[in-house]
Amino acid sequence: MERETADQLEALHPDAFGWALHCCGGDHSRAEDVLQNAYLKAASDRVVHSGASSFKTWWFGVIRLTAHEEFRRLRYRESLLGKLLAQFTGDAHDPRPSAAQKIDLDEQTLRMREALAQLPARQAEVMHLVFYQDLSISEAATLMKISLGSARQHYERGKARLRTLLQTSSPVFAHES
């Protein structure tokens, strides 16, 4: 890591900790871990400021993504721990849906796929990226190589069209919107 980068990071440390604290929902120990991991990324040159944005914006983005990674890791560990405890305590239940639930899920999935197929290509693509791939609209726009405004418009129009299609095709979806 260059000395200039280290100096900028040092100057931003109080603000960075406040941002990490916000990203971690006020949990001080998690915020400390997240900030430490972000610093490790910077020190090992796994993240490098390219100059496309201000240094502070870039650094806060690194912290936000690191917090998100840590949250996902924590959630994954908790789910594994829960499964392990359930096995030892004998409380394990079959996570698979019953036959009736499976039929319902299959019908809903089929309706959703049919509705998505009726959308224009860009609307369907942005909806898929946001809902199935868990991307933000901004990330979807970057991936699709379109402007953020265009992606937002495709997203909003796609949601409205899906809502209409699903309400007219199924009373089950009409109550869920």
Side-chain angles (χ1 to χ4, degrees), residues 39-70:
Y39 282 129
L40 287 172
K41 286 179 181 181
S44 64
D45 290 328
R46 289 191 315 174
V47 293
V48 178
H49 182 240
S50 66
S53 61
S54 74
F55 187 84
K56 183 175 182 177
T57 300
W58 167 80
W59 181 237
F60 278 28
V62 170
I63 294 168
R64 183 181 63 82
L65 290 175
T66 304
H68 182 67
E69 290 169 358
E70 292 297 314

Side-chain angles (χ1 to χ4, degrees), residues 16-133:
F17 182 73
W19 176 242
L21 194 58
H22 172 78
C23 291
C24 295
D27 185 337
H28 282 270
S29 63
R30 275 190 46 218
E32 289 170 352
D33 290 343
V34 163
L35 195 55
Q36 180 178 4
N37 286 336
Y39 282 129
L40 287 172
K41 286 179 181 181
S44 64
D45 290 328
R46 289 191 315 174
V47 293
V48 178
H49 182 240
S50 66
S53 61
S54 74
F55 187 84
K56 183 175 182 177
T57 300
W58 167 80
W59 181 237
F60 278 28
V62 170
I63 294 168
R64 183 181 63 82
L65 290 175
T66 304
H68 182 67
E69 290 169 358
E70 292 297 314
F71 177 74
R72 289 181 67 198
R73 240 184 245 119
L74 178 66
R75 194 173 63 204
Y76 178 72
R77 285 185 199 129
E78 287 174 349
S79 70
L80 285 178
L81 181 61
K83 289 176 186 175
L84 186 62
L85 286 174
Q87 284 181 343
F88 283 121
T89 60
D91 293 339
H93 70 284
D94 190 358
R96 294 174 293 182
S98 68
Q101 290 172 327
K102 187 164 176 39
I103 290 170
D104 260 0
L105 290 173
D106 289 344
E107 287 177 17
Q108 291 175 359
T109 301
L110 180 62
R111 284 190 207 113
M112 180 62 87
R113 285 187 181 153
E114 288 172 351
L116 277 171
Q118 293 178 38
L119 294 178
R122 291 245 171 142
Q123 289 177 12
E125 188 175 2
V126 76
M127 297 297 287
H128 176 85
L129 289 170
V130 170
F131 287 106
Y132 290 113
Q133 300 302 323

